[in-house]
Amino acid sequence: MNLEDYLGMFLEESEENMALLNNQLLALENNPDDPAIIQEIFRAAHTLKGMAATMGFQHMAELTHAMENALDWIRQGRARVDAQWMDTLFASMDALSHTLQGIAQEGQEHPIPPDIFNRLKQLISSPSEPRPNTLSSIEKQSPPAADDSSSSAMQPVLLYDHWQELYDTYQEAIIQDALKQGLSVYRIEIELDRRTLLKAARAYIVYQTISDMGEIVQAQPSIDDLEAERFDFNFVITVLTEKTIEAVQTELSRISEVAQVHVYPLVIERKEMIEPLTQHSAASTSVDFPSVQPSDHGKDMAKEGSVQSVAPSAAHRTHHVKTLRVDADRLETLMNLFSELVIDRGRLHLLAEELAAPQLREVVERMSRTTSDMQDLILSIRMVSVETVLNRFPRMVRDTLRELGKKVDFVIEGAETELDRTVVDELGDPLMHLIRNALDHGLEKPEDRLKSQKPETGKLRLSAYRSGHHVYIEVQDDGAGIDAEKVRLKAIQRGLLSEDKAARMSDQDVYQVLFLPGFSTRETVSELSGRGVGLDVVKTKIESLGGRISIHSKRGSGTLFRIQLPLSLSILTAMLFKVGEETYALPLGDILEAVTLPVQEIKTVGKQPAFNLRGRILPLVDGRRFLGIEPKADEASHLTVLVLRNGEARLGLIIDRILSQQEIVLKGLGHYLKHIRGFSGATILGDGRVALVIDTRSFFEKKQGWSYLEEVEVHV
Amino acid sequence: MFDTNLEHQSFSEPRQVILFRLAEELYAVDVKHVQSIERIGSITRIPDAPPYLKGVINLRGVVTPVVDLRLKLGLTAEALHDGSRLIIVHVPPYNVALIVDSADEVLEIDADRLQPAPDIGANSVPYIEGVVDIDGRLIVLLDLTKVLKDSETALLEEAVDEAHPVKEEPSI
């Protein structure tokens, strides 16, 4: 069995399970006692472990195993979930994610910092209440470390049984000696700020500081590795010192870019010798904690503090839909063959009419109904729910909110809405940008919100719904809204708008300026959203998917981004028309109208043919000439002109005649024709022939020395 | 069983090829590239395409480009006739239909007997893997990879890709 063949599947399934885990962890955060959630988490971790082990990924298997052990405690009720648990579990998820990345990019796991394992171990080192009789032999008794924010807990210690395995014999001897002499031995866990640029330098400073306080016994990773930056953001240093814990803690916390410092004193005592330290820092979700509601399913279940009975919540949560993984190429082939079938069906229908054979007609009609159903079904196979892409946001929002210190209710609606698979895959980045924008720029800090008479906790809504032939995705916040004046000023400054134009534009129009490249209203470069490079990139991406994006905003009330996407990427409503003897297609959305133009009304501006459309002079493009077809033999008195648009630009395209308006299946031209420009693809007509679908933009670009006019305002 | 002398390895196995005609000459392409042989239906022209690119056809639901092999090899063009056929070839990542004057038989060529190309026409030499004489017939074996990925196409692709990065299509 060649494991490499399964790598793709492994990665996909692992990612799915991790997304599930992350969401369940978030749910757990809000419902620490819900056994159904715990069960789900346990199951997902277990699955991950199994897959990793089968594929031979040791690190991943070990980590998930450690997580399983920890989670098992919760499952058995031997510990309660608190902030430290959540932090550790999330950190484990991050480590897993990092390792998975290594597998995806390099085919190899990234090593996992030993610290994570230590943290996980520490979680299961004490029960929440004294149960000395039920302790198993492997159980350790030292209590979990206190969370930074809770100050009242007794100082946690590491018992011998616990710390002994963390050091080698030599180090152990040194520690024992030191303790006997009355010195303190501290195991210091440092977590650097994620934004630290020179980690090695920072780590060195920390190392030096600790070194000044006493004698360092051990550094994990080693000082060499620290200097070579072979570590993530965490490291552990063990030191012998006379200083107090508070002194050490304070000294180290003062060092910039140090996010967290945990100091654990080592003691000689073993577990049998002392009473269990029962002080367990209360499940203090610190005041700043944002409440995050990952999905609608969770809503009914979210009751603070109550223990749910397993049956109903389990039924809700594990909606086991039977699924099958299908090779995308096979599906494509299936669809191609099927469209051929549809064409032949059309032909049969015609034949049945011609031959006037009623029996044949009946059979063909039945066949039509069956093939119609099949057609809908096949198209729907490519549809996946947007849930897969929306799922990654709750976690990201939670982390971001913590960083920003803002309070926001994050709600996702309509995750079950379906879209073509390729579109869903591409949505992640633009949505992430919009969400970050909302969190960073849109939503105000709690203090500011209160000042504006708004509730402290803001709202961020991500919703998806289907309407007609489109799917809409909205990102809405109740933040500060967009300051149109500021945008105007910036636009003028950047030379994007003239003062005159800016003054005349409505606020709604002004918002469109935000989509122009190189625009940013933020003075300082925000870490999260970068230099405001977001919105124009978002717009381009959405448009490349055949969609549109619009902004609606009200100063003080909030902002709404609405993305409109076609239901299916490859189905396009088009206009079929003839130029010469050849049939072409254009997306209907790019055609404003069709006009019949009397030949005598063709004007010439410079050398450019043009015509007057209700007071506006538009350039005229001769379709035949453009496509390299011989000019018409006879002189017509009237021309059929399609008025095309590209953004704000307009022009008229002279064609021979309009054939029809219909939905077509857009097919790619393939690799060999990759470099052919001017066509977005091709479609297969009812008679089996191929018609090229023209890329509207090509008419608007300079071609063969023609130049297109800037539009001239003409008052008629 | 393993021939350690790499130079000779490629010549030890016979090659299976499909024979076809262009004008009065016999050509061949390796059978591993050939998907099928079809009659020619209606070809949709592509405006502004190089002369050898005749257009596209509908091949069982897949839009496939059509190349006039004669023009590509620098031979004189000729109108299509009843006997004209399309040889559908697949040279990853390309799927292309080649117009030929007739498609004949499958033959086994002993690779040892392949000789380098003589000067048939200045244009076609780079596309030729070799020539072989079988039963008095001279057969020109084409290197399809070179035919489809020639410098002209490549340069054109490069130039276009630089100026206008092209988005990868999801499938064929």
Side-chain angles (χ1 to χ4, degrees):
Chain A
M1 173 173 89
N2 185 4
L3 285 173
E4 292 214 347
D5 295 337
Y6 297 99
L7 193 60
M9 204 159 64
F10 166 76
L11 285 170
E12 260 188 67
E13 291 199 24
S14 296
E15 284 193 26
E16 269 179 33
N17 269 302
M18 294 213 5
L20 185 69
L21 254 180
N22 264 320
N23 278 339
Q24 292 299 340
L25 282 176
L26 285 167
L28 187 65
E29 211 166 27
N30 291 331
N31 308 284
D33 297 307
D34 187 343
I37 302 179
I38 295 165
Q39 187 58 31
E40 266 297 304
I41 295 178
F42 192 85
R43 193 195 59 78
H46 190 73
T47 308
L48 274 174
K49 182 180 82 169
M51 291 196 298
T54 311
M55 295 293 294
F57 294 126
Q58 287 285 51
H59 297 294
M60 203 171 142
E62 277 169 20
L63 180 53
T64 39
H65 183 70
M67 286 173 74
E68 250 193 317
N69 283 344
L71 290 165
D72 203 26
W73 272 60
I74 298 289
R75 208 161 61 141
Q76 291 179 34
R78 280 151 85 172
R80 261 196 101 226
V81 172
D82 63 356
Q84 190 206 359
W85 270 88
M86 293 314 307
D87 279 344
T88 308
L89 287 172
F90 277 126
S92 312
M93 290 306 300
D94 284 341
L96 263 181
S97 181
H98 186 62
T99 287
L100 204 59
Q101 231 177 46
I103 298 174
Q105 287 168 2
E106 295 139 38
Q108 259 194 358
E109 302 176 273
H110 283 156
I112 299 178
D115 196 61
I116 278 291
F117 290 100
N118 294 336
R119 286 172 73 177
L120 281 168
K121 266 201 212 149
Q122 280 181 0
L123 290 176
I124 58 177
S125 53
S126 100
S128 54
E129 50 232 339
R131 279 191 270 173
N133 300 326
T134 60
L135 288 176
S136 65
S137 53
I138 52 156
E139 202 174 325
K140 300 179 172 68
Q141 277 209 25
S142 30
D147 189 48
D148 265 350
S149 54
S150 80
S151 50
S152 54
M154 280 169 62
Q155 201 52 248
V157 296
L158 286 175
L159 296 178
Y160 172 79
D161 307 76
H162 194 209
W163 61 256
Q164 182 247 350
E165 56 195 47
L166 300 169
Y167 303 99
D168 63 26
T169 333
Y170 177 68
Q171 291 164 342
E172 190 190 322
I174 296 180
I175 296 174
Q176 297 271 32
D177 270 0
L179 289 173
K180 283 190 192 123
Q181 284 172 41
L183 285 174
S184 302
V185 181
Y186 299 135
R187 188 174 165 78
I188 308 175
E189 289 184 8
I190 318 273
E191 184 181 324
L192 291 181
D193 194 325
R194 303 253 145 183
R195 285 170 290 195
T196 307
L197 291 171
L198 294 166
K199 287 192 300 191
R202 187 57 61 194
Y204 183 73
I205 292 177
V206 173
Y207 188 93
Q208 277 302 107
T209 311
I210 298 180
S211 180
D212 287 345
M213 295 187 218
E215 197 186 314
I216 297 187
V217 176
Q218 186 206 63
Q220 261 176 356
S222 68
I223 184 65
D224 288 337
D225 284 341
L226 284 176
E227 275 174 6
E229 260 197 42
R230 280 190 285 267
F231 66 100
D232 236 356
F233 294 97
N234 299 285
F235 54 94
V236 183
I237 298 185
T238 309
V239 65
L240 316 175
T241 179
E242 284 175 312
K243 292 195 181 267
T244 62
I245 294 185
E246 289 79 15
V248 172
Q249 185 110 28
T250 320
E251 182 94 17
L252 291 175
S253 304
R254 260 198 233 125
I255 303 178
S256 48
E257 293 189 308
V258 167
Q260 297 231 48
V261 177
H262 290 296
V263 182
Y264 306 116
L266 272 58
V267 297
I268 302 183
E269 289 81 10
R270 299 163 194 249
K271 66 179 180 189
E272 291 86 22
M273 287 159 60
I274 56 168
E275 275 162 35
L277 291 168
T278 68
Q279 196 76 4
H280 172 93
S281 49
S284 53
T285 25
S286 63
V287 189
D288 292 341
F289 223 81
S291 65
V292 176
Q293 286 173 286
S295 71
D296 275 327
H297 318 302
K299 259 197 195 147
D300 336 347
M301 302 300 140
K303 289 187 194 123
E304 284 284 286
S306 60
V307 179
Q308 304 284 313
S309 58
V310 183
S313 21
H316 250 273
R317 220 170 299 279
T318 56
H319 47 132
H320 283 306
V321 179
K322 285 200 192 137
T323 55
L324 194 65
R325 284 192 191 281
V326 177
D327 186 325
D329 286 339
R330 282 193 193 169
L331 202 56
E332 188 77 27
T333 309
L334 181 63
M335 284 180 69
N336 283 333
L337 288 175
F338 190 75
S339 27
E340 285 301 280
L341 189 62
V342 170
I343 289 172
D344 285 337
R345 174 190 76 184
R347 287 213 193 117
L348 265 179
H349 191 84
L350 279 173
L351 274 175
E353 297 295 313
E354 273 171 44
L355 295 175
Q359 285 161 322
L360 183 60
R361 226 190 266 154
E362 203 186 295
V363 172
V364 171
E365 264 171 34
R366 277 227 313 272
M367 205 183 123
S368 287
R369 281 196 293 274
T370 313
T371 45
S372 279
D373 288 342
M374 274 178 73
Q375 193 166 21
D376 287 339
L377 201 60
I378 291 184
L379 285 176
S380 76
I381 290 180
R382 272 176 61 114
M383 306 284 270
V384 292
S385 79
V386 289
E387 192 178 348
T388 42
V389 74
L390 298 185
N391 253 352
R392 38 160 139 159
F393 293 123
R395 173 73 202 276
M396 169 223 146
V397 168
R398 174 200 183 270
D399 291 342
T400 308
L401 286 173
R402 273 198 133 177
E403 264 180 82
L404 293 174
K406 293 183 182 171
K407 291 198 223 180
V408 174
D409 248 335
F410 180 50
V411 171
I412 296 186
E413 292 170 357
E416 66 283 350
T417 310
E418 290 189 336
L419 263 183
D420 185 281
R421 191 211 165 86
T422 24
V423 175
V424 169
D425 288 342
E426 302 283 303
L427 270 182
D429 283 344
L431 282 181
M432 180 142 76
H433 238 112
L434 292 178
I435 291 179
R436 278 191 165 162
N437 253 346
L439 293 175
D440 197 30
H441 304 316
L443 289 156
E444 318 94 320
K445 291 212 172 99
E447 319 84 77
D448 296 325
R449 284 183 70 90
L450 287 173
K451 278 189 217 153
S452 322
Q453 320 285 41
K454 283 177 167 176
E456 219 184 13
T457 307
K459 276 202 189 41
L460 180 62
R461 186 181 64 105
L462 177 58
S463 65
Y465 58 93
R466 177 171 158 179
S467 175
H469 282 310
H470 291 109
V471 165
Y472 294 88
I473 303 202
E474 296 181 352
V475 178
Q476 185 172 23
D477 66 73
D478 69 346
I482 300 175
D483 186 344
E485 246 343 281
K486 231 175 162 185
V487 175
R488 277 197 186 87
L489 284 172
K490 201 77 178 190
I492 297 172
Q493 247 179 48
R494 295 279 161 112
L496 296 166
L497 283 180
S498 68
E499 278 197 32
D500 186 50
K501 216 164 176 201
R504 281 190 289 138
M505 285 168 89
S506 69
D507 279 0
Q508 184 62 29
D509 289 336
V510 165
Y511 297 147
Q512 303 309 314
V513 178
L514 289 166
F515 286 123
L516 293 173
F519 191 93
S520 168
T521 52
R522 194 74 170 172
E523 254 52 58
T524 55
V525 173
S526 153
E527 186 66 41
L528 293 179
S529 316
R531 238 170 254 281
V533 296
L535 287 180
D536 66 305
V537 172
V538 168
K539 181 165 190 237
T540 312
K541 189 56 171 262
I542 302 284
E543 287 182 350
S544 79
L545 295 172
R548 295 187 203 279
I549 180 168
S550 57
I551 309 183
H552 307 268
S553 181
K554 193 158 171 220
R555 186 96 190 278
S557 302
T559 309
L560 163 68
F561 281 94
R562 182 178 289 132
I563 299 174
Q564 179 200 76
L565 293 162
L567 202 51
S568 169
L569 196 60
S570 47
I571 292 196
L572 183 62
T573 314
M575 178 170 288
L576 295 175
F577 55 94
K578 269 204 169 344
V579 180
E581 286 310 306
E582 300 176 354
T583 307
Y584 290 93
L586 272 175
L588 199 60
D590 293 342
I591 302 177
L592 287 174
E593 57 187 294
V595 298
T596 308
L597 185 67
V599 164
Q600 53 268 41
E601 288 188 25
I602 299 180
K603 307 182 187 319
T604 316
V605 186
K607 290 210 190 112
Q608 169 69 46
F611 71 111
N612 182 333
L613 184 72
R614 295 187 296 273
R616 227 170 148 180
I617 302 287
L618 306 184
L620 258 184
V621 175
D622 183 356
R624 284 192 181 224
R625 192 166 155 196
F626 191 87
L627 296 167
I629 300 173
E630 277 169 18
K632 251 183 161 158
D634 49 359
E635 289 291 317
S637 59
H638 287 76
L639 298 176
T640 309
V641 175
L642 295 178
V643 180
L644 306 179
R645 74 156 157 198
N646 182 31
E648 290 306 313
R650 307 273 183 270
L651 61 76
L653 174 68
I654 303 174
I655 61 172
D656 279 45
R657 65 187 171 96
I658 293 177
L659 289 173
S660 65
Q661 256 177 247
Q662 61 184 84
E663 278 191 349
I664 59 168
V665 177
L666 185 66
K667 298 193 181 254
L669 291 173
H671 283 278
Y672 191 67
L673 299 175
K674 209 169 68 162
H675 58 282
I676 295 284
R677 300 199 47 226
F679 300 99
S680 16
T683 186
I684 297 182
L685 302 171
D687 58 4
R689 287 185 302 123
V690 178
L692 293 172
V693 180
I694 306 176
D695 181 353
T696 317
R697 289 175 299 188
S698 58
F699 292 116
F700 290 85
E701 289 157 10
K702 292 188 193 195
K703 193 189 172 206
Q704 298 168 1
W706 293 3
S707 62
Y708 292 114
L709 291 176
E710 291 288 316
E711 281 182 44
V712 175
E713 298 268 349
V714 171
H715 300 285
V716 173
Chain B
M1 184 182 153
F2 288 91
D3 190 354
T4 50
N5 189 338
L6 289 172
E7 236 177 86
H8 291 304
Q9 218 171 31
S10 55
F11 290 117
S12 58
E13 293 168 28
R15 305 264 297 273
Q16 288 218 310
V17 299
I18 294 213
L19 274 191
F20 59 91
R21 281 178 194 280
L22 290 179
E24 288 313 306
E25 322 254 318
L26 277 174
Y27 289 83
V29 288
D30 201 313
V31 91
K32 73 182 181 213
H33 294 305
V34 178
Q35 283 198 315
S36 63
I37 299 178
E38 317 267 341
R39 285 171 179 264
I40 304 186
S42 77
I43 302 177
T44 300
R45 181 185 72 99
I46 300 176
D48 266 357
Y52 61 81
L53 189 49
K54 279 275 168 287
V56 286
I57 52 162
N58 169 14
L59 194 66
R60 278 180 284 285
V62 178
V63 175
T64 310
V66 180
V67 166
D68 186 336
L69 201 49
R70 295 169 72 133
L71 288 179
K72 186 78 180 180
L73 296 181
L75 307 173
T76 50
E78 244 193 46
L80 298 175
H81 52 87
D82 267 347
S84 300
R85 292 287 182 271
L86 289 175
I87 298 187
I88 316 296
V89 297
H90 181 60
V91 178
Y94 306 124
N95 257 345
V96 180
L98 302 171
I99 300 179
V100 299
D101 288 316
S102 74
D104 304 320
E105 42 189 296
V106 179
L107 211 63
E108 236 181 49
I109 291 186
D110 201 355
D112 290 344
R113 297 180 46 191
L114 261 184
Q115 294 164 38
D119 208 350
I120 293 184
N123 288 0
S124 52
V125 170
Y127 305 128
I128 297 177
E129 203 183 314
V131 297
V132 66
D133 185 309
I134 296 191
D135 301 331
R137 305 186 286 177
L138 186 69
I139 298 170
V140 180
L141 180 62
L142 293 177
D143 183 341
L144 265 183
T145 314
K146 293 231 177 67
V147 172
L148 296 183
K149 289 191 189 184
D150 72 353
S151 54
E152 190 191 307
T153 324
L155 280 177
L156 188 59
E157 279 186 27
E158 265 176 48
V160 174
D161 282 340
E162 264 175 45
H164 304 270
V166 174
K167 186 170 85 115
E168 270 303 314
E169 291 170 272
S171 63
I172 301 174

